[in-house]
Amino acid sequence: MHFLTRIYMFGVGFVVIAITAVTLSISFAALVYTGPLSVFLGQGINATLLGAAIMALVGSFFLSVRGSICNPQDVTAVLIGAAAAGIATTGNVPVEHLFPTVIGLIVTTGIFTGLVVFLAGAFKLSALVRYAPYPVIAGFLAATGYLLFMGALSIAARETVSISNLTMLFHSVAIIKWVPWVAGAIFLTFIERRQASELTVPTVLSLSVLAFFALLGICGYSLSDAMEMGLLLGPFDNTSFSLPYNSDFFAKIEWAAIASAAPTLIAVSGLTLLGALLNGTGIAMTLGAKFNSEQDMKATGLANVASATVAGLPGYVILGESILARRMGLRGQVPSLASAAGCLAALYFSADILAYMPAGLLVMAVAYLGFDLLATWLWESRNRLSRFEYGIVVLIVAIAATVGFLLALAVGMLAAIAIFIVSYANTEVILSRSTGATRRSRVERSEEESDYLSKVGSELVVLDLTGYLFFGTAHRLSEAVQSELSSERPIKYLILDFRRVPGIDTSATNSLAGMLETSEQAGVKLFFTGMSEDVEKQFALASPHNEGVKKIPNIDAALEIIEGDLLSEEPGGARVESARLMQLIERLEVEYHEDPGALERITLAPGEKLIRLGTISSECYFLLSGTLRAEIEDQSGNRVRVAEFQPCALVGEIAYYAEVPRTAWVIASTDSKVVRVDLKRMERAPTQTLIEFHKAAARSLARRVMRMTRLTSEL
């Protein structure tokens, strides 16, 4: 029984997917071949069905997510329909040249789109499309919904309908041709959004067809009567289909008219790329499959080129139909085969049979697609977007309705860019501000030198910058620098750290040059630190005469230079000799002279190791002269300097007091002399001096922690 159920679901699913593909393909063809082009609808339907079948078959072999169906899309059909209507209504193309020119437009657009999308996949450029602003995408989809609704009305009126001639529907088009079907589309939209189900759309459309023919019978109308009243899709003037590639056909193509539609080619290719990425990602997430964007772009490109050879409409992976197929039990390549089989079957039985399809069914299907997009992106998006972003959506729809779709996208993109620039210009370009009182280099100094640097640290200001610097943010930075230069507490040094700045423009470079000149006039030394190679190159190109600017590779190096300058200005020159820790060491050497292992003077040559990483010891070290450096290994195994020790600095006291293994190597940078202090050994016979030494070391650690706490608060 379970096997029979699966067979039944498979059969139903196959038929539903086939019918859905045929219905949508015919609907999209009707969007293109409308108004003056409606006489070619029969041939257009045949071309669209054959192209859809080819597209589905090619996609079935090459798409990364098995079960995805590649078919023509409403978005691309709307754009081509608008371009085709423009060609048909300008009067520049003779009537006998209309159909060849439209076919030429479709073929050119399909091949161009296919090549663009294929190359995007081949060169791995598909990710660039994801940078499209979300409000523009939302506005584009909402505007597409509006154009689909207008397209549905155009199918009913059999001529192009826009907001400018909308009243024509009430005067020259019978109400029965469009009002019931539009009402049905509204009902279908309401039901689908309230109680979503994969079978809702095909079921409601099927019941609508049955109700239509039932009403015809009740009212006593025959199919011929309905045909004469324009209630059916036919009659078609020419239902034959053959590949129209011959010299006479090509001679009738107005290539100038196609060239004027170049923006449409660009828009269709871009939207195909975007739609394929979004829908492919959505299908992969829904089905729990792995999505390969590059592979799908190449597959979509091939499918479009193959479809274009028979004048099929451009398209990409269709989301709803693919998910519906999976949920109805169709796996692998079966959904695509069902879609292709349905289109080929409809093509085989010719458009004569399709002529008896209710025209209102296409009106209802297309209007439903439009209402669904409008409900999602124009109505519901108001709760997800900011006021300005939602304004872009409304603006795009309004311009699309009154002026044109492509212009609406362009204006929407410009509006999104303008809002981004204004918003970004108002962001804080200064990530943090700190002073030399708390911001120190990696050089460990004596307690007295550290105290002095804390005292005069307000003379140094550090501004950590963030984000791209352009004319908007550079102005805010210039104001901040001017505020520092004119503050009540004068400063001598100013550091601008560019470590988090990915780039600058020419306006920002000129602004930086102005800051340099202003700081020189104020007697303040300005340092630029952490500039990337690109930022430094841009600054050099735009300001070749600012050779005197102090550009330091990193902020630690700049801090070290400034600290040295500040200490050189300290009154008195006996800092090292009078250091408190030095005095304590000398007293300890006297008190523990009978225990030579308690304190030991060591001489180190450059490069000689004092402490090894990971070792455990009971001592710390006091640097008498020379310079030591602490190093660790980075992820690549390279040694990196993390600290430097100057005379009268304690070394290794943190690991000792924390009772943890050594966290770095300590190596002599120059000829150095240190005193090894074995605290564990001396604690066997503690003296008052040893207690004072512990207090001094604790005080040094406490001040370092306090300085870090203040720095954290400033940052």
Side-chain angles (χ1 to χ4, degrees), residues 434-438 440 452-461 566:
S434 55
T435 68
T438 56
R440 297 289 175 80
Y452 180 76
L453 289 176
S454 297
K455 179 181 177 181
V456 299
S458 60
E459 297 177 0
L460 161 65
V461 171
L566 290 172

Side-chain angles (χ1 to χ4, degrees), residues 74-75 138 140-146 148 189 193 367-379:
D74 49 2
V75 175
F140 146 70
L141 292 171
T144 301
Y146 162 79
L148 283 170
T189 305
R193 302 185 76 79
Y368 158 70
L369 294 173
F371 288 144
D372 186 63
L373 288 175
L374 286 169
T376 300
W377 300 104
L378 185 61
W379 177 250

Side-chain angles (χ1 to χ4, degrees), residues 503-528:
I504 58 177
D505 68 359
T506 304
S507 299
T509 302
N510 293 333
S511 181
L512 291 174
M515 296 177 205
L516 181 62
E517 183 178 350
T518 304
S519 63
E520 289 178 350
Q521 293 173 356
V524 175
K525 294 182 180 180
L526 182 61
F527 291 78
F528 293 164

Side-chain angles (χ1 to χ4, degrees), residues 93 103 166 201 210 240 271 339 363 427 433 496 583 606 707:
V93 179
I103 290 294
L166 192 59
V201 174
L210 294 176
S240 64
L271 296 177
S339 176
V363 174
T427 58
R433 177 191 183 275
L496 300 183
Q583 297 173 3
R707 193 165 63 244

Side-chain angles (χ1 to χ4, degrees), residues 313-429:
L313 296 176
Y316 45 88
V317 171
I318 189 166
L319 185 61
E321 195 176 337
S322 301
I323 296 175
L324 174 61
R326 173 60 68 90
R327 291 178 177 172
M328 296 188 73
L330 304 185
R331 297 289 189 274
Q333 295 174 319
V334 175
S336 295
L337 295 177
S339 176
C343 293
L344 291 174
L347 182 64
Y348 177 78
F349 290 109
S350 81
D352 289 334
I353 294 179
L354 297 175
Y356 291 97
M357 177 182 291
L361 180 64
L362 302 186
V363 174
M364 183 175 175
V366 174
Y368 158 70
L369 294 173
F371 288 144
D372 186 63
L373 288 175
L374 286 169
T376 300
W377 300 104
L378 185 61
W379 177 250
E380 294 180 357
S381 65
R382 75 191 194 283
N383 298 321
R384 300 193 301 268
L385 301 175
S386 68
R387 182 177 58 183
F388 294 109
E389 290 175 330
Y390 184 68
I392 292 177
V393 176
V394 175
L395 178 65
I396 292 176
V397 175
I399 295 178
T402 56
V403 181
F405 188 79
L406 296 180
L407 180 61
L409 287 181
V411 172
M413 183 67 74
L414 290 175
I417 292 173
I419 291 177
F420 169 78
I421 290 175
V422 172
S423 300
Y424 193 85
N426 288 328
T427 58
E428 188 56 63
V429 66

Side-chain angles (χ1 to χ4, degrees), residues 182-205:
V182 170
I186 295 174
F187 173 76
L188 176 56
T189 305
F190 178 79
I191 292 297
E192 173 66 16
R193 302 185 76 79
R194 285 299 181 91
Q195 295 180 345
S197 172
E198 294 80 6
L199 296 177
T200 300
V201 174
T203 300
V204 173
L205 292 178

Side-chain angles (χ1 to χ4, degrees), residues 58 219 248-249 365 557 609 622 658:
V58 173
C219 296
D248 291 338
F249 189 89
K609 294 183 178 63
F622 180 80

Side-chain angles (χ1 to χ4, degrees), residues 122-182:
F123 291 100
K124 300 181 179 181
L125 301 176
S126 55
L128 296 177
V129 183
R130 297 173 184 171
Y131 290 102
Y134 184 83
V136 175
I137 297 176
F140 146 70
L141 292 171
T144 301
Y146 162 79
L147 293 179
L148 283 170
F149 177 57
M150 290 293 112
L153 298 180
S154 299
I155 295 172
R158 306 220 171 182
E159 62 178 283
T160 303
V161 176
S162 65
I163 197 170
S164 61
N165 65 350
L166 192 59
T167 56
M168 172 267 298
L169 286 170
F170 299 93
H171 301 300
S172 58
V173 181
I175 298 296
I176 194 175
K177 290 184 178 181
W178 63 279
V179 171
W181 297 102
V182 170

